[in-house]
Amino acid sequence: MTLRVNGTEIGEREIAAEMQHHPAPSAEAAWQEAARALVVRRLLLDEAEARGIEADPDSELLPDEAVIEALLEQAVAVPEADEATLRRWYEANRSRFRTKELWEASHILIAADPEDKEARAAAEARAKDLLAQVLADRDSFEALARAHSACPSGKDGGRLGQVTRGSLVPEVETFLAAMAPGQICPVVVKSRYGMHILWLHQRAEPRELPFEAVRDTVARYLHDASWRRAVHQFIAVLAGRAQIEGVAMDGATTPLVQ
């Protein structure tokens, strides 16, 4: 299939090279995405040439990317949101601005391959014996962690430091979330890595961040979102007045504005 933009042909070899940047469920879908991306690139480069825009010689980008960047800086203007708009968006999206639950914890890991039933059973028995020792004397935890834990934290007496939800395996997080500060988990916790003995030292519950703390983040988000919409509209205008053969441009975008 021949791909042309305003009479300029885009070759199969160029499309094939571009396809590696567009993973898709099928080769046909990847071809379509690559073809659209190359059409958008051609539209932008042609528009830059029509406007007499050249690449900044000091730019660290490749020449074509530098030309496209200069074109978008000239052609796309995005007004900054005022304070009232920032506050309205913040109020409508307060749930986005919460700290994660934070735990200060220690653990001892007895590693075991999840596919090896005998190793898992042996690891569980060993972990239960260590847990009994820790429950009888929590002062022994650090020494036991240094001697037995398969986690790098073992050299620090099992200390994981401060960790947030999402940074540990789900099984461990489930138990930490249910434990009280200062508590040693009364059961061995199983995960794909093996058997864990857990000690929760402190926890910090999630809290909502005030507008003042996230104002700049909100402003950047709204500016970037507005810029992406404006670029999409600009590309749609260019595509609408161009002669494009070989691919439909519905929903087309450019890697610059993902």
Side-chain angles (χ1 to χ4, degrees):
M1 181 183 296
T2 301
L3 182 62
R4 290 191 180 91
V5 181
N6 292 327
T8 299
E9 184 170 336
I10 298 175
E12 291 288 340
R13 183 174 295 180
E14 189 175 357
I15 298 171
E18 179 69 20
M19 284 174 65
Q20 65 182 312
H21 304 299
H22 302 273
S26 67
E28 172 61 22
W31 189 96
Q32 293 285 337
E33 290 300 318
R36 291 191 187 102
L38 290 171
V39 168
V40 168
R41 183 185 185 88
R42 186 72 264 156
L43 290 171
L44 292 169
L45 290 172
D46 287 351
E47 180 66 14
E49 183 178 4
R51 295 184 181 217
I53 295 174
E54 298 180 354
D56 181 348
D58 297 325
S59 175
E60 296 181 358
L61 298 173
L62 294 173
D64 283 356
E65 279 70 22
V67 167
I68 290 173
E69 181 182 74
L71 168 66
L72 295 178
E73 287 180 357
Q74 180 187 108
V76 179
V78 179
E80 297 295 333
D82 59 23
E83 202 73 9
T85 300
L86 296 179
R87 285 187 175 275
R88 280 197 303 271
W89 195 90
Y90 167 78
E91 291 295 338
N93 296 274
R94 295 175 75 103
S95 61
R96 293 189 179 202
F97 302 106
R98 293 177 61 82
T99 61
K100 291 185 177 181
E101 188 171 5
L102 184 70
W103 301 300
E104 185 176 341
S106 298
H107 84 147
I108 299 172
L109 170 64
I110 306 303
D113 184 341
E115 302 300 322
D116 188 334
K117 292 184 178 180
E118 290 187 6
R120 295 283 286 185
E124 183 174 6
R126 185 179 174 199
K128 285 181 176 179
D129 177 63
L130 292 173
L131 175 59
Q133 295 180 55
V134 168
L135 290 174
D137 178 13
R138 63 178 53 202
D139 290 340
S140 68
F141 192 102
E142 291 190 9
L144 292 174
R146 290 190 179 93
H148 301 284
S149 184
C151 177
S153 65
K155 68 180 186 301
D156 296 321
R159 286 270 181 177
L160 294 171
Q162 293 184 337
V163 291
T164 57
R165 184 178 289 277
S167 60
L168 302 173
V169 292
E171 298 88 347
V172 168
E173 291 188 353
T174 296
F175 278 86
L176 287 177
M179 291 165 61
Q183 182 181 8
I184 294 173
C185 187
V187 297
V188 170
V189 178
K190 302 176 184 179
S191 80
R192 65 181 179 273
Y193 295 111
M195 309 295 158
H196 304 260
I197 300 166
L198 301 180
W199 185 356
L200 176 64
H201 303 291
Q202 297 290 338
R203 72 171 341 115
E205 300 296 339
R207 63 184 179 84
E208 190 174 90
L209 295 171
F211 172 76
E212 290 72 21
V214 298
R215 181 202 176 281
D216 290 347
T217 300
V218 172
R220 282 193 301 271
Y221 175 84
L222 292 182
H223 179 274
D224 291 347
S226 296
W227 187 84
R228 286 192 296 271
R229 286 194 299 271
V231 172
H232 283 302
Q233 292 168 1
F234 179 59
I235 292 169
V237 170
L238 296 181
R241 70 191 190 200
Q243 292 183 341
I244 300 169
E245 303 172 51
V247 66
M249 292 301 291
D250 295 343
T253 185
T254 168
L256 291 175
V257 292
Q258 292 293 337

